[in-house]
Amino acid sequence: MLRYLLPLLLAVATLTHAADADGKLRIVVFGAHPDDAEYKAGGTAIKWAKLGHHVKLCSVTNGDIGHWRDAGGELAQRRIAEAKACAAKWGVTSQVLDIHDGELLPTLENRKLITKVIREWNADLVIAHRPWDYHPDHRYVGVLVQDAAFMVTVPFFCPDVPHLTKNPVFMYSSDGFQKPYPFTPTIAVGITEEEMAQKIDGLHELTSQAYEGGAGGSAEHVEKNVPPAENDAARRAWLQRRWHLRQSGEADRFREDLVKWYGKEKGAAIKFAETFELCEYGSRPGEAELKKLFPFFD
């Protein structure tokens, strides 16, 4: 039966992709929980969105145990709402998959699910965690995206969703892990002060994580370290200090890469950065195509 349905599915795919062919990029960033994609690629997502490109931040689990006090469906709904509010501020799309936090496994079912998300978005570029990380959900997001990297183009795998006729570019978001090898950026993106302010304004919506500390937080931590919710300005200033330190640290760590992409003078002056490493799977772009996928360089 499938062999007779395939031509129809291909026709639907052609029409769908034609409708998407507005000359804009389509990017999906996978994170394990409703904050990971936002943390790792929020500034770059803002840059893409300002140019009219289509960005989806997809959380593979619903974050339902990611808090020291709350858990279950109520927490999941809270974190879904937080991610949606953050995405709205950035002009991007948020999607949270209905998988329990801490229970993600690299199963065939989940491989199909990730494959369908990539196909339905008709992605040109896919970004995810590297498959070695402190958190099993992070690791398995990396594995699942790697496993989907070829399958997104296979017609009879998940034939209910039209396959992609061009393999996307797959990349990793940055981390600090050293084994089996350290994160080595392929591209470094400078984040302006204005974009950094926008990123922080979005992260401000992720209250359960940004201020309450998520699963690693505590009532004592919040009371001792975090300004109270009624003092919005102090809270935002506290969050800004933390994220300026984090993104300036990434810029300093990969200064040579910034100089490579922006030139010596401009690269040396960039204060904040996000960086990404090319995955060994998927399309293998050269420098010219990378500049099309990251259209931020002179």
Side-chain angles (χ1 to χ4, degrees), residues 1-293:
M1 184 68 178
L2 284 175
R3 73 179 64 184
Y4 301 111
L5 287 174
L6 185 58
L8 177 60
L9 292 173
L10 290 173
V12 171
T14 301
L15 289 172
T16 301
H17 293 182
D20 290 336
D22 58 0
K24 298 298 183 180
L25 297 167
R26 303 188 65 82
I27 303 104
V28 58
V29 184
F30 286 100
H33 311 100
D35 66 343
D36 288 315
E38 292 82 359
Y39 285 171
K40 294 292 188 179
T44 311
I46 289 164
K47 296 177 84 74
W48 276 313
K50 286 198 301 185
L51 296 174
H53 301 298
H54 309 288
V55 183
K56 173 178 282 191
L57 306 179
C58 181
S59 303
V60 180
T61 76
N62 61 20
D64 58 356
I65 61 168
H67 200 275
W68 51 270
R69 182 190 61 218
D70 304 325
E74 185 176 342
L75 177 61
Q77 290 304 312
R78 181 185 179 192
R79 296 191 68 183
I80 290 167
E82 289 177 349
K84 185 176 180 180
C86 177
K89 285 191 170 181
W90 294 347
V92 304
T93 298
S94 176
Q95 181 177 8
V96 179
L97 304 183
D98 192 22
I99 298 173
H100 290 304
D101 187 349
E103 299 183 16
L104 182 67
L105 291 172
T107 62
L108 176 58
E109 179 184 10
N110 287 335
R111 183 192 306 168
K112 289 181 176 180
L113 181 58
I114 297 300
T115 297
K116 289 177 181 181
V117 171
I118 295 170
R119 286 179 176 177
E120 288 166 352
W121 196 247
N122 191 21
D124 299 298
L125 173 63
V126 180
I127 298 172
H129 301 287
R130 292 200 301 164
W132 32 88
D133 199 299
Y134 74 100
H135 197 303
D137 288 346
H138 291 208
R139 291 198 298 273
Y140 293 144
V141 166
V143 170
L144 286 163
V145 171
Q146 283 186 340
D147 289 350
F150 178 75
M151 305 311 294
V152 293
T153 65
V154 177
F156 287 105
F157 186 73
C158 303
D160 53 320
V161 179
H163 70 285
L164 300 184
T165 56
K166 180 183 177 183
N167 207 332
V169 172
F170 288 80
M171 302 190 83
Y172 302 122
S173 53
S174 64
D175 62 55
F177 300 101
Q178 301 299 301
K179 295 179 181 180
Y181 73 90
F183 173 82
T184 307
T186 306
I187 197 160
V189 178
I191 309 300
T192 67
E193 298 221 22
E194 178 185 356
E195 290 158 353
M196 196 65 209
Q198 288 178 269
K199 178 170 181 172
I200 294 165
D201 188 41
L203 299 184
H204 174 74
E205 299 293 337
L206 306 179
T207 309
S208 66
Q209 310 302 303
Y211 297 115
E212 297 172 14
S218 66
E220 293 76 16
H221 160 77
V222 174
E223 184 177 352
K224 185 180 296 185
N225 300 297
V226 184
E230 56 268 22
N231 193 339
D232 186 76
R235 272 200 157 195
R236 288 174 180 271
W238 179 85
L239 191 64
Q240 176 179 289
R241 286 193 297 272
R242 291 168 62 87
W243 278 93
H244 275 201
L245 184 63
R246 178 167 173 166
Q247 304 295 176
S248 64
E250 190 156 353
D252 291 339
R253 180 182 170 197
F254 299 117
R255 183 66 59 191
E256 290 184 6
D257 298 277
L258 289 167
V259 169
K260 171 187 173 182
W261 287 97
Y262 288 92
K264 185 174 182 180
E265 184 177 350
K266 191 171 183 180
I270 289 173
K271 292 184 178 180
F272 310 113
E274 292 175 350
T275 55
F276 306 94
E277 179 182 0
L278 185 64
C279 175
E280 58 270 42
Y281 307 145
S283 293
R284 304 292 294 173
E287 185 173 310
E289 187 172 352
L290 280 172
K291 286 185 174 180
K292 291 179 181 178
L293 292 170

